Amino acid sequence: MQIIPHIPVLYREVLEMFCDIDSGIIIDCTMGYGGHSSMILEANPHIKLIAIDQDQTAIDFSTQRLEKFKDRVVIKKGRFSSVIKDILKEHDIKNIRGILADIGVSSLQLDQKDRGFSFSSDNLDMRMDKDALLCAQSVVNEYSLHELERVLLEYGELRNYKKIASFIVQNRPFYSAKELGDALKHLMPTGKKIHPSTLLMQAIRIEVNNELGELESLLDTIEEAKFPNAKIAIISFHSLEDRIVKNRFGKWRDSCICSDEAMRCTCGNNHSYGKILTKKPIIAKDDELRDNPRSRSAKMRVFKMDNNNE
């Protein structure tokens, strides 16, 4: 019997967003432990679900967890930005009714210290796909000073990124997340409720897994395909991801794409892809925050594609 290790974030809100989908296909771009996937399949008994993950450990676990749904679920391995393109070749786009993406590191990866995601990990890996070439140890020990500064500024938004990058270069090599975090503790921001090394590890992890590039690529694919019948729900965990989603949804909503300097509309004013269903991002309720502290950073935004936009 499997031990289910956690409840997925914003699970009630995800189910509510997809509750009116009574047929077709829902794509879970970030399957992980299969929490969202299993709940969606239970709540929507007439839909089929395609689940994607690049982590073989997650696939092995969720294949067993979702086995009871038999022919209603298909699991695919790979980065969701590329796998979703293959799905479009295999299925009628009108049958795809929902797309869910829970962006970022999963609880499965955080809980396994040998994966190098945890602050107390004895190694420095952080690869979501164990077969990927780039790992955190390579970023920390092999990147130039300039490259490290870019990673820490763009992905960690650390004000003293130059000092941190310089310290790393002068004191490397580092071989564990714990060793790196302890060595840099004096340079980390204080006074926040998060672990002092959160932004540092976040920056390295995003670089290793090209997380923002993956998100942008997914949104590009959705924008190109338009998915005339679909709801797009994306859960993010930090401001960089949320900003990307917010800006893209805003672009999809706007009917006029003329520049702000234009005296009058010349674009035809018919470019809207649909409507934003969440004026503000959905966040976890108090009881979920109490039961699952990792949900405190989760924000979900949802967009509904226009049925007539084909």
Side-chain angles (χ1 to χ4, degrees):
M1 181 178 178
Q2 274 190 313
I3 298 175
I4 305 302
H6 83 304
I7 296 174
V9 298
L10 300 177
Y11 64 96
R12 291 170 298 202
E13 292 79 4
V14 168
L15 293 180
E16 182 179 352
M17 280 298 169
F18 290 144
C19 69
D20 60 342
I21 299 177
D22 55 8
S23 63
I25 297 168
I26 294 177
I27 302 173
D28 184 351
C29 294
T30 46
M31 175 181 64
Y33 275 131
H36 285 126
S37 290
S38 61
M39 289 181 174
I40 290 170
L41 286 163
E42 288 277 9
N44 305 64
H46 301 296
I47 63 99
K48 293 187 177 182
L49 184 136
I50 300 174
I52 305 169
D53 210 289
Q54 58 181 310
D55 190 329
Q56 188 60 48
T57 303
I59 290 174
D60 292 342
F61 183 94
S62 293
T63 296
Q64 183 179 350
R65 180 175 186 177
L66 302 176
E67 185 178 11
K68 63 181 179 179
F69 298 106
K70 297 180 181 178
D71 58 347
R72 291 182 57 210
V73 60
V74 174
I75 297 174
K76 292 180 176 288
K77 182 179 181 181
R79 292 177 177 263
F80 53 72
S81 63
S82 58
V83 174
I84 200 167
K85 294 177 181 178
D86 296 332
I87 293 171
L88 284 172
K89 298 174 184 176
E90 300 167 359
H91 298 274
D92 184 342
I93 192 171
K94 294 179 182 179
N95 288 333
I96 297 174
R97 305 290 307 283
I99 297 175
L100 171 66
D102 181 355
I103 306 298
V105 65
S106 72
S107 294
L108 179 152
Q109 292 154 342
L110 284 170
D111 292 340
Q112 295 181 330
K113 289 189 177 181
D114 63 317
R115 301 297 298 273
F117 290 97
S118 169
F119 303 121
S120 58
S121 176
D122 290 329
N123 64 6
L124 198 53
D125 192 326
M126 298 191 187
R127 290 174 296 173
M128 293 180 181
D129 179 357
K130 290 182 179 180
D131 295 327
L133 297 177
L134 183 64
C135 69
Q137 193 171 124
S138 298
V139 171
V140 171
N141 294 327
E142 298 173 16
Y143 269 29
S144 69
L145 176 64
H146 178 71
E147 288 175 316
L148 281 173
E149 287 177 349
R150 172 187 61 81
V151 170
L152 296 172
L153 174 61
E154 291 184 11
Y155 301 151
E157 298 182 303
L158 288 156
R159 293 182 179 181
N160 58 339
Y161 66 96
K162 287 184 177 290
K163 285 185 178 181
I164 297 171
S166 178
F167 182 91
I168 291 173
V169 170
Q170 292 173 17
N171 292 275
R172 61 191 184 187
F174 295 95
Y175 296 109
S176 76
K178 186 178 186 304
E179 178 190 9
L180 180 65
D182 288 346
L184 286 164
K185 189 178 296 184
H186 66 291
L187 293 175
M188 292 296 101
T190 58
K192 295 185 177 182
K193 294 181 180 180
I194 60 175
H195 190 285
S197 296
T198 296
L199 297 179
L200 169 68
M201 298 303 179
Q202 168 188 295
I204 297 169
R205 192 198 77 225
I206 290 174
E207 174 71 11
V208 168
N209 297 288
N210 187 30
E211 291 177 34
L212 301 188
E214 282 289 293
L215 175 57
E216 292 274 17
S217 184
L218 172 65
L219 294 169
D220 287 344
T221 299
I222 294 171
E223 182 172 321
E224 181 179 350
K226 296 185 180 178
F227 291 95
N229 295 304
K231 283 184 178 179
I232 316 298
I234 299 183
I235 301 172
S236 62
F237 286 85
H238 57 73
S239 59
L240 295 173
E241 296 167 342
D242 184 58
R243 192 179 309 146
I244 290 171
V245 177
K246 178 183 178 181
N247 291 341
R248 190 66 68 101
F249 282 8
K251 175 186 175 184
W252 293 350
R253 174 201 58 207
D254 293 342
S255 183
C256 176
I257 58 173
C258 294
S259 68
D260 294 337
E261 290 75 25
M263 297 293 291
R264 61 186 179 86
C265 176
T266 58
C267 71
N269 198 28
N270 61 350
H271 294 277
S272 175
Y273 285 28
K275 61 183 178 180
I276 298 172
L277 300 184
T278 48
K279 291 183 178 180
K280 293 183 178 180
I282 295 172
I283 60 175
K285 294 182 173 63
D286 289 343
D287 61 334
E288 182 175 359
L289 291 171
R290 183 184 63 248
D291 297 337
N292 180 13
R294 290 175 183 170
S295 67
R296 68 180 179 272
S297 302
K299 294 181 178 180
M300 181 170 71
R301 296 183 186 269
V302 185
F303 191 92
K304 177 66 172 68
M305 291 291 187
D306 188 340
N307 289 322
N308 297 316
N309 192 0
E310 302 182 42

